[in-house]
Amino acid sequence: MARPKLTPLSGYREYPPDEMRRRAGRFLDEMLRRRSVREFSDRAVPEEVLRDCLEAAASAPSGANRQPWHFVVVRDPEVKRRIREAAEREERDFYHGRAPNDWLEALEPLGTDEHKPFLETAPFLIAVFAQVYGFDGDGEKIKHYYVNESVGIAVGFLLAALQEAGLATLTHTPAPMRFLSELLGRPRNERPFLLIPVGYPAADARVPEIDKKSLAEVTTFV
């Protein structure tokens, strides 16, 4: 296999230490303001903002640069309605049958249940699909590497970009999510990874009081 062509590193910027601290602190402040929102306004969101955020997500690193992701942006009200109906069916089965008691107890402080009106109210739903394998220019199947890790990184980029743009989001994972593949007509080499409602929070939106672990609890310097 021929080695890829190498080009000069042109995008990297080095900053003085004071500027590094300022930029890191500003980004930390922005991320600390992010909350998962379940009550959305139906106000329109500029589509070009969403496109820029998706392009940022698609710039994420991936295993062997295979970029094993696909983003389906749902804005059609009828499609959103069908997604909500299918998601609520799965969630009813989860909350009233499949979920073990300890899982339900862990969810109780968050106040979640099988009702998902935000799937219709939010102006956009972004369905993220992970490509288990891909195809080359001749239509031959090619293997993808570190699919979950790669798609997870891209989702992190997307959530950060949407927060930076001033939009509210929710990471929604109705289980199982096979209905998304069927409703959105995705090919067999893709599996649903995540569903992200995007928009402005409702004027009366409320979020549960939660704590995050301290840096000392989640970090070790060696």
Side-chain angles (χ1 to χ4, degrees), residues 13-151:
R13 295 180 184 175
E14 182 176 332
Y15 299 100
D18 286 347
E19 176 66 5
M20 292 172 69
R21 286 190 289 269
R22 187 192 69 79
R23 293 171 67 90
R26 189 200 63 80
F27 185 77
L28 170 61
D29 289 342
E30 189 64 53
M31 292 300 101
L32 290 176
R33 282 194 290 272
R34 188 203 168 271
R35 294 299 306 273
S36 292
V37 171
R38 292 176 173 83
E39 297 166 312
F40 284 85
S41 166
D42 61 0
R43 289 169 54 201
V45 170
E47 188 170 310
E48 59 269 25
V49 173
L50 200 67
R51 289 179 179 274
D52 284 346
C53 293
L54 287 163
E55 193 163 353
S59 75
S62 61
N65 195 37
R66 293 289 163 84
Q67 304 163 61
W69 44 65
H70 191 88
F71 306 96
V72 179
V73 180
V74 182
R75 55 194 172 185
D76 183 279
E78 175 60 21
V79 179
K80 290 195 290 180
R81 182 189 65 79
R82 283 185 276 158
I83 288 175
R84 177 186 177 180
E85 289 178 351
E88 288 185 338
R89 280 195 299 270
E90 297 295 351
E91 295 286 72
R92 276 194 296 273
D93 290 344
F94 171 80
Y95 280 97
H96 301 289
R98 294 199 312 266
N101 288 334
D102 58 343
W103 197 344
L104 293 176
E105 290 172 2
L107 291 173
E108 187 174 2
L110 302 179
T112 60
D113 58 26
E114 67 269 28
H115 303 293
K116 310 297 178 184
F118 51 77
L119 293 177
E120 286 192 86
T121 309
F124 289 110
L125 304 178
I126 301 176
V128 183
F129 289 85
Q131 294 182 343
V132 181
Y133 57 89
F135 300 95
D136 63 17
D138 298 321
E140 297 295 321
K141 184 187 293 188
I142 57 174
K143 185 176 181 179
H144 285 171
Y145 304 95
Y146 299 106
V147 172
N148 285 340
E149 294 86 347
S150 300
V151 178

